Amino acid sequence: RFTKTSRFTNFTKDKRLNYSKLNLNPQLIHTLVTQSDVGDLFDSGLIHLGLNWKYENGSDLDIEPDKDTIKIIKTLANTVTVNLISLSKTLEKPIAKIASIETIISLVRLFISGKINNQGLTAGLELANQNPDTEIEKLLEEKGLIQISDDTALEAFVELVIENNPKPVQEY
């Protein structure tokens, strides 16, 4: 049983079981369990999301995250085990020193919302590493990495382009 007041324990078997209850794929679970720095960062993300579990008399998952939280958890797991591991090797820097968990989760939320793609996510991690005290969405906007998903905004842009380029439109 878990209570919502403390952290995951370091027991590999229990971690594996609980990660699987979050519907994470076996490869992600293996990485999270065998690379302690990666697992610790992911666990801090779970804590940040309000999933502070403590083992008591076994390892049954007592809390069922909602669908949106599960999506964040899965994307966080992918971000930590793929994007951050790769960047950590490139920068020759410990994974936990690249960006704060708050920034990582902000990037995950921007990715899920469609405001950034995977390249924007990776670029955001690099920007966060270089500018740890600046809000990540502001950095992404300054670098032109925020995607426009609003059809109205896109339609207005397309109309402006057509209006400013009548000759190519007539030739078409």
Side-chain angles (χ1 to χ4, degrees), residues 8-154:
F8 279 96
T9 67
N10 291 324
F11 299 113
T12 303
K13 183 179 176 183
D14 289 339
K15 275 188 150 185
R16 236 180 242 287
L17 177 62
N18 285 299
Y19 290 157
S20 68
K21 289 180 181 178
L22 294 171
N23 296 318
L24 300 179
N25 78 45
Q27 288 177 315
L28 291 178
I29 292 170
H30 178 77
T31 302
L32 293 170
V33 171
T34 59
Q35 295 185 34
S36 62
D37 57 334
V38 177
D40 289 346
L41 184 62
F42 178 71
D43 288 351
S44 70
L46 295 178
I47 290 166
H48 184 77
L49 293 169
L51 303 175
N52 308 343
W53 301 320
K54 177 184 175 186
Y55 298 99
E56 291 179 358
N57 302 322
S59 59
D60 292 333
L61 186 61
D62 197 24
I63 301 165
E64 291 188 31
D66 62 40
K67 188 172 115 179
D68 291 336
T69 303
I70 287 289
K71 193 171 192 175
I72 292 169
I73 290 168
K74 287 182 175 185
T75 307
L76 175 63
N78 280 307
T79 301
V80 170
T81 59
V82 178
N83 304 73
L84 277 167
I85 287 176
S86 175
L87 190 55
S88 174
K89 289 177 183 175
T90 301
L91 298 174
E92 297 179 353
K93 191 172 191 176
I95 195 168
K97 301 282 186 185
I98 294 173
S100 71
I101 195 60
E102 294 83 7
T103 298
I104 295 166
I105 290 175
S106 292
L107 286 164
V108 164
R109 290 180 193 274
L110 289 168
F111 177 79
I112 290 170
S113 73
K115 287 187 175 183
I116 59 173
N117 59 20
N118 194 50
Q119 290 175 329
L121 178 64
T122 301
L125 291 168
E126 292 171 3
L127 289 169
N129 179 60
Q130 297 163 358
N131 307 282
D133 298 327
T134 307
E135 190 216 332
I136 194 61
E137 192 164 357
K138 181 180 179 193
L139 287 170
L140 293 167
E141 285 173 0
E142 288 172 1
K143 298 292 182 182
L145 295 170
I146 297 289
Q147 299 180 145
I148 299 172
S149 301
D150 178 10
D151 289 344
T152 309
L154 290 172

